[in-house]
Amino acid sequence: MPSLAAMRVFETVGLTGSFTRAAERLNLTQSAVSRQVKILEDQLGEPLLIRHHHRLDLTPAGHMLLNALGRAFHEVELALRGIEEESNAHRLRVNAPPTLSKRWLVPRLKDLRRACPDIDISLTTDLSDSLAESSLLDCAIRFGDGEWPAFNSVHLMTERHIAVCAPSLIAGLSKDETMDLTRFTFLHVLASSDQRYLTWRHWLSAAGLEEMDISGGLEFDLLDTAIEAAVCGLGITVADRHMVGRELADGRLVQLLDVEVDGHESYWLVTRQEKKPAKMLLAFCDWLTGQSAGETPPA
């Protein structure tokens, strides 16, 4: 039998389609990854990859082996998880978006400890969770429309967009709805490296200010960073009310104008379609939906 290490390297190469990306994922050099695959091919007496200048393609034998390894490693993962669960039957593995985790979920975990003291949360904040690929993740909180085939989705909350800034920015200014927002710096959140979310446009439209020029301003790749910039007095941003509850409550942020816009997408608790979900997962789901139904920020 070829070595397990070589087969693991080949699986990573097959999934990434690149020696370079596989090396980064495995924390190996590119030459070490290439050498492991070559050793595996020599042992099998069959090429597994077709090496082009800028890409790799799997041969029929490569496809066959990659599929088999995927099933095998999945079984190993299940076995390891079973062993792990025997030693810690109370561990619940959750992935959630970074801003939601920091600003909404983590401040409420103290309440979870009171309500469900037997649950030990393991929280990750990957932008794209591995619920479909990995059995090590129990559930995920996702942002979207709730349509994920082969998964159960429980609605938690829909975004409610408001414009906020530090109180120092409007000290001495009129709170009249005709307030001139152009005197402030606009803080934007990026949907991608070259595209902003449309939250400012939707909010301005609801406020009757469609013609306002918001092309300038500062841009951030996370809502959390834009909120922190607003707290620091750098400008005004449109944020989900759920994410700024504590700042509004303690006066670090104030709402500009009496305008609130429902977002087009929501937060959902996503789980696998298991015949009998674990009691721990059901308890977490009940607690989470109860939290999302409330409006009072945590102490």
Side-chain angles (χ1 to χ4, degrees):
M1 283 285 292
S3 74
L4 183 61
M7 289 189 286
R8 190 55 160 169
V9 167
F10 167 72
E11 187 208 25
T12 307
V13 172
L15 292 174
T16 60
S18 165
F19 286 134
T20 301
R21 288 194 293 272
E24 291 171 351
R25 184 175 296 186
L26 295 168
N27 197 26
L28 298 171
T29 65
Q30 182 177 338
S31 61
V33 169
S34 178
R35 184 168 60 253
Q36 286 287 335
V37 174
K38 185 63 170 62
I39 290 172
L40 184 58
E41 290 177 319
D42 290 343
Q43 288 178 306
L44 295 174
E46 186 77 27
L48 300 172
L49 297 171
I50 302 172
R51 295 157 173 81
H52 301 284
H53 184 56
H54 291 296
R55 75 177 195 279
L56 300 172
D57 289 331
L58 291 167
T59 65
H63 277 291
M64 184 184 299
L65 181 58
L66 181 63
N67 291 334
L69 289 175
R71 293 191 298 269
F73 284 129
H74 180 69
E75 290 297 320
V76 171
E77 207 170 31
L78 287 175
L80 291 174
R81 181 173 184 183
I83 295 170
E84 203 173 51
E85 292 300 328
E86 286 296 323
S87 61
N88 189 351
H90 305 296
R91 178 70 60 195
L92 188 72
R93 295 165 180 81
V94 184
N95 189 83
T99 297
L100 178 83
S101 296
K102 176 183 175 181
R103 297 190 159 271
W104 190 87
L105 181 57
V106 169
R108 288 169 167 77
L109 290 183
K110 187 176 180 180
D111 182 83
L112 175 63
R113 297 296 288 173
R114 290 193 295 262
C116 306
D118 292 335
I119 295 180
D120 292 332
I121 291 292
S122 178
L123 178 64
T124 55
T125 56
D126 296 328
L127 295 178
S128 179
D129 66 70
S130 59
L131 193 62
E133 296 82 21
S134 174
S135 61
L136 298 180
L137 197 63
D138 294 296
C139 61
I141 298 176
R142 292 181 178 177
F143 182 69
D145 58 8
E147 296 296 325
W148 292 285
F151 289 99
N152 293 324
S153 300
V154 176
H155 180 264
L156 297 177
M157 55 193 179
T158 299
E159 283 193 314
R160 296 160 56 196
H161 294 140
I162 58 175
V164 294
C165 72
S168 59
L169 286 189
I170 59 171
L173 297 179
S174 171
K175 295 183 178 180
D176 190 86
E177 290 192 4
T178 58
M179 180 185 296
D180 181 13
L181 299 183
T182 59
R183 72 180 68 191
F184 304 112
T185 299
F186 292 97
L187 309 177
H188 304 274
V189 182
L190 293 170
S192 60
S193 60
D194 60 350
Q195 185 177 2
R196 297 170 175 174
Y197 282 109
L198 298 177
T199 46
W200 258 120
R201 279 296 169 204
H202 294 153
W203 186 89
L204 289 171
S205 178
L209 302 170
E210 297 95 333
E211 303 304 318
M212 184 170 292
D213 180 14
I214 57 171
S215 58
L218 307 179
E219 298 177 336
F220 306 93
D221 66 343
L222 287 177
L223 173 60
D224 179 56
T225 315
I227 292 172
E228 287 299 322
V231 170
C232 292
L234 290 178
I236 58 176
T237 192
V238 170
D240 176 13
R241 181 183 288 277
H242 299 101
M243 301 301 114
V244 293
R246 286 181 299 164
E247 288 81 2
L248 291 172
D250 63 24
R252 283 179 291 162
L253 288 176
V254 293
Q255 181 177 348
L256 288 173
L257 307 186
D258 187 20
V259 177
E260 184 173 301
V261 181
D262 284 343
H264 294 286
E265 295 182 305
S266 305
Y267 291 101
W268 304 76
L269 177 65
V270 182
T271 58
R272 297 185 187 86
Q273 293 181 344
E274 300 174 357
K275 292 182 179 179
K276 188 178 180 181
K279 291 182 179 179
M280 185 172 56
L281 182 56
L282 292 174
F284 178 69
C285 181
D286 288 343
W287 173 83
L288 195 61
T289 52
Q291 289 291 312
S292 62
E295 294 298 329
T296 304

